[in-house]
Amino acid sequence: MSNIYGSILETVGNTPVIRLGRLEPKGIELYAKLEAFNPLGSVKDRLALGIIEAAERDGRLQPGQTVIEATSGNTGIGLAMVCARKGYPLVIVMAESFSVERRRLMRFLGARVVLTPASEKGTGMVEKARELAAAHGWFWTRQFENEANANIHSDTTAREILRDFGGTGPDYFVTGAGTGGTLKGVARVLRAESPKTRIIVAEPENAPMLASSIGQQYRSDATPAASHPLFRPHPMQGWSPDFIPKLTGDAVDFGLIDLIQPVAGSEALRLARELARQEGIFCGVTGGATLAAALDVAKTARPGSRILFMVPDTGERYLSTPLFDAIGQEMDAAEQEISNSTPLCRFGGPTSQAAAVSVATIDPAPDHARHFVEQAIKDPGQPVVMFALEWCEFCWAVRRFLKDIGVPFRSVDLDSVAMQVGDLGGDIRKVLRVMTGAATIPQIFIGGIHVGGSVDLLQLHDAGKLVSVLDKAGVTPTGDITLTARSYLPKWLAARPAA
C-alpha cells in the first residue's frame, strides 16, 4: 500500500490497536485503540471529517460558508484541520475553563475562538453557537445531535475493530461518552454483527448522569434545554458535558449499553500516567478513565476475555491541567543527585541536595499570592475558607458536606479561569505548601486556623470536634450535624476503615 496521500484528510482513521504488556491483568487480553494516531491527535478528527463531508453532500454547507461549533477542544481542532484543507472559515465557541493548549492549537490552524464564561458550562457554549449561527447564516455542525457523527464511527471505527479482531469483535468494548458519536456509531454495529460483545460506558463517578436514569431535557431541535441536575465538574475533558447529548441518549434508549462503569477522577489521572510510564502510551485523562473502566471489567471477566478500550487523544492537550500537576520544569532532588554524581554541573559547581531543597523552601511565591492567602483566611466576614480545585472529587465532598450541615464557606478554586491569570493559582499553592507543610488540595481554614484537607475536616466532625472549632470562629451550623461526614468521601475511600 502506498504511503503517499492526496491530502491530510486521507490519513484520518485506521488507528492501531495495541495489546498492553505490563498493565494487562493475568488471564485477560487487554487492548487499547489509540485515536491519537489520527492526524490532529484525537478521535474527533473522524467526527469533523464525517460531519463536513455529509453536509457538503446534502448541500447544507456551501463553498466558502463559515462553519461554527461549540466544543471543549478536540472537535474544534479536528474541524480546524478539515476546514483549513477544504477552505472554510471556522469559528469555535469554547468555555474559558478548558485547557489553553486547545484554543491555541485551533487558532494556529486558522480558526477563530470565541470564549464563553466557565459558569455557563457546556450548555452556554451551545447557546452561543446557536446565536452566532442564526445571526450570521453560518453552518452549525451540531456535533451533539448530528447523525453524521455516529455514522462516521459506524463506517470506520466499528469496521476497523471488527477487522482487527477477526470479524467477531472483542468480548468487551469500553468507551466514554462525549458527544455520543463513538458510542452510538460503534455500539450499533457491534450489537448487530458481534452480539456477544458487551458495551461498557465509562462515566465520571461524581457526575453519574447516565447511571441516574434521570432523563435530559431537550429543545425541539434536540439541543439541551438545561444542565442535567447531576452534573458536577470533573477532570475528563471531552466527556460528560453538563448535559446528556442526543446521540448518547439514543444509545441509552436503543439499549446499546450493557454496563455504565463509574470512574473516579483521581483514578483516571493515575492510570493516564501509568499508561505513559508502564506502556509508553501518551494519552489524556479520558484514556486513563477508559483503562480504569476496563480494569474493573477485567475483575469479573472470564479468563481469556478480550477487552478493548478507547484511548481518545494525546496527552499534549493537557499540559496546563492537573494531569501534569506533579510534573516539574526544574530538576527534582533525585535528578539533582544524578547531576551532582559527576563534576560537570549545570550551574558551574556541585549543589547539594539539601541546598536545593532549602532554596525551594525559602522561595515559596511572590508577595501578592502570600497577601491573597493571608487576606482570605483572616476575613471575618467568611471564617471558613477552602483552597480547592473545581473538578476535584475531594473538594466536592467537602462542598456537599458543608452545605448539608449549613455552614457558609468560601471556595477559592485555584484552577479557575481567574486564577490562571499570571498563574496566581500556582503561586497560592506554593504559599499553602509552605504554610501547611502539605502539597495536597483542598486545604481548609476555619477562623484563620488551618484544619487540614478534606479527610481531616470530615474526621474532625465524626470525632465530635468540628462544632466547637466552628463556634470559636463564630459560625453556627444550621443543618443536620448528626450526619456521618466520612460518607461524603469518594466511594473507594469511604469504604476503607477510618485511620
Side-chain angles (χ1 to χ4, degrees), residues 305-316:
S305 292
R306 300 185 300 176
I307 302 174
L308 172 67
F309 67 98
M310 295 292 287
V311 179
D313 64 1
T314 171
E316 290 180 355

Side-chain angles (χ1 to χ4, degrees), residues 260-346:
I260 297 169
Q261 181 64 52
V263 176
S266 57
E267 192 69 353
L269 293 164
R270 183 184 73 83
L271 286 172
R273 298 181 188 113
E274 287 302 297
L275 268 174
R277 294 170 181 178
Q278 300 292 328
E279 301 285 352
I281 294 173
F282 188 41
C283 70
V285 183
T286 52
T290 47
L291 172 57
L295 291 173
D296 276 325
V297 167
K299 293 175 183 177
T300 56
R302 60 176 175 78
S305 292
R306 300 185 300 176
I307 302 174
L308 172 67
F309 67 98
M310 295 292 287
V311 179
D313 64 1
T314 171
E316 290 180 355
R317 306 279 152 88
Y318 301 86
L319 295 175
S320 65
T321 75
L323 182 60
F324 280 78
D325 196 46
I327 309 301
Q329 298 184 60
E330 299 299 327
M331 289 187 289
D332 61 20
E335 292 164 338
Q336 185 68 58
E337 184 176 359
I338 293 171
S339 175
N340 293 345
S341 68
T342 61
L344 184 60
C345 291
R346 178 182 176 191

Side-chain angles (χ1 to χ4, degrees), residues 173-178 182-184 186-187 199-203 239 259 261 286 289-290 293 308-312:
F173 172 67
V174 183
T175 186
T182 302
L183 169 61
K184 181 180 178 181
V186 173
I199 310 300
I200 313 298
V201 176
E203 181 175 55
W239 280 11
L259 176 69
Q261 181 64 52
T286 52
T290 47
L308 172 67
F309 67 98
M310 295 292 287
V311 179

Side-chain angles (χ1 to χ4, degrees), residues 9-90:
L9 305 184
E10 295 177 9
T11 68
V12 174
N14 283 309
T15 56
V17 170
I18 307 296
R19 183 170 177 178
L20 301 193
R22 300 183 67 188
L23 294 176
E24 179 182 85
K26 184 177 181 180
I28 298 294
E29 296 181 18
L30 188 56
Y31 298 90
K33 187 163 177 62
L34 305 187
E35 291 299 294
F37 278 73
N38 282 301
L40 264 291
S42 90
V43 68
K44 299 301 179 65
D45 290 358
R46 298 179 190 260
L47 174 163
L49 183 61
I51 286 179
I52 293 298
E53 293 194 337
E56 289 175 330
R57 288 192 298 269
D58 63 24
R60 287 177 297 145
L61 177 58
Q62 299 297 313
Q65 186 178 8
T66 295
V67 175
I68 185 169
E69 182 55 287
T71 169
S72 65
N74 280 334
T75 295
I77 293 167
L79 282 170
M81 169 191 67
V82 174
C83 290
R85 180 62 180 83
K86 288 179 172 286
Y88 298 109
L90 175 65

